[in-house]
Amino acid sequence: KQAEQFGFEIFQKSVKIMPHEYTYVKVSFKPQIMAQYAGVFEAIVENGEQNAKTHKLIFDLRGEGALPTLKIDKPRDWFDERTLQLKFPKTRVLKSSVLSILLKNDGMVPASCRFDLNPNENFRFLKESSYTLAPKTYHSFDIEFTPKSPGPKQWSISVCTLLNPYE
């Protein structure tokens, strides 16, 4: 319970180390909010001399909580204040045009996205509809437009960043 609020958890709360030997202690960091976390790791020698240099080991633990976040880099045309628009050129019936949606991960942690797609006979999402972007990378998603009849066509799709309830 304490680790959930604190952000850090130490595995092996107690360990016996023989003289002139060492052991590794695992510390995990699981932030619950977007914030900076700080703590102190302290290892004390039980029944040892009370010498300040040899009685205990102390060092800082620091971490920063971050959420996965993605930005739509392209297209840049807006249909309204909440909706981006991918404008395909005039395309002959049964011919195809392909345009891309470009996502960018500006964040510090990997971010996964998922496109929610409704079936549409005039549009097709090429390749995968979900993907995980490493930090500071881009990924493009291609959409093919093949009109089956003359006239304007429209397809509404949405994208979400997984594990981020705020996007």
Side-chain angles (χ1 to χ4, degrees):
K1 218 52 170 157
Q2 181 184 6
E4 289 177 12
Q5 298 166 357
F6 182 54
F8 297 100
E9 183 176 359
I10 299 173
F11 298 92
Q12 279 187 294
K13 305 275 188 225
S14 177
V15 65
K16 185 174 183 174
I17 306 170
M18 300 305 292
H20 305 290
E21 297 203 3
Y22 63 90
T23 190
Y24 291 98
V25 177
K26 184 177 178 182
V27 178
S28 73
F29 178 57
K30 186 177 179 185
Q32 297 299 305
I33 61 171
M34 290 179 53
Q36 291 189 359
Y37 290 78
V40 175
F41 178 92
E42 186 174 283
I44 300 173
V45 177
E46 289 182 359
N47 302 322
E49 295 178 17
Q50 295 299 315
N51 181 333
K53 291 182 179 181
T54 61
H55 178 63
K56 60 183 169 181
L57 166 70
I58 299 174
F59 58 87
D60 291 336
L61 299 172
R62 298 196 184 276
E64 186 171 346
L67 286 172
T69 184
L70 293 170
K71 173 185 166 190
I72 297 176
D73 202 53
K74 288 181 184 177
R76 294 190 176 152
D77 296 323
W78 291 87
F79 179 72
D80 59 34
E81 67 273 355
R82 295 189 63 219
T83 310
L84 286 165
Q85 185 174 16
L86 194 59
K87 292 182 181 179
F88 284 89
K90 282 190 178 186
T91 306
R92 290 178 48 194
V93 172
L94 301 179
K95 297 294 181 185
S96 296
S97 296
V98 176
L99 290 178
S100 297
I101 296 173
L102 184 63
L103 293 185
K104 180 180 183 182
N105 181 354
D106 272 338
M108 300 179 297
V109 295
S112 297
C113 68
R114 183 187 71 235
F115 284 87
D116 294 322
L117 310 168
N118 296 318
N120 187 301
E121 67 176 4
N122 298 294
F123 295 92
R124 187 168 66 110
F125 207 87
L126 304 178
K127 297 184 186 173
E128 69 276 333
S129 61
S130 62
Y131 190 80
T132 299
L133 285 82
K136 310 297 181 203
T137 62
Y138 293 85
H139 188 75
S140 66
F141 298 86
D142 294 333
I143 297 176
E144 180 181 65
F145 172 51
T146 308
K148 306 297 183 216
S149 61
K153 308 295 180 210
Q154 188 172 325
W155 188 34
S156 294
I157 62 173
S158 62
V159 63
C160 67
T161 304
L162 302 178
L163 303 176
N164 185 343
Y166 304 104
E167 268 191 23

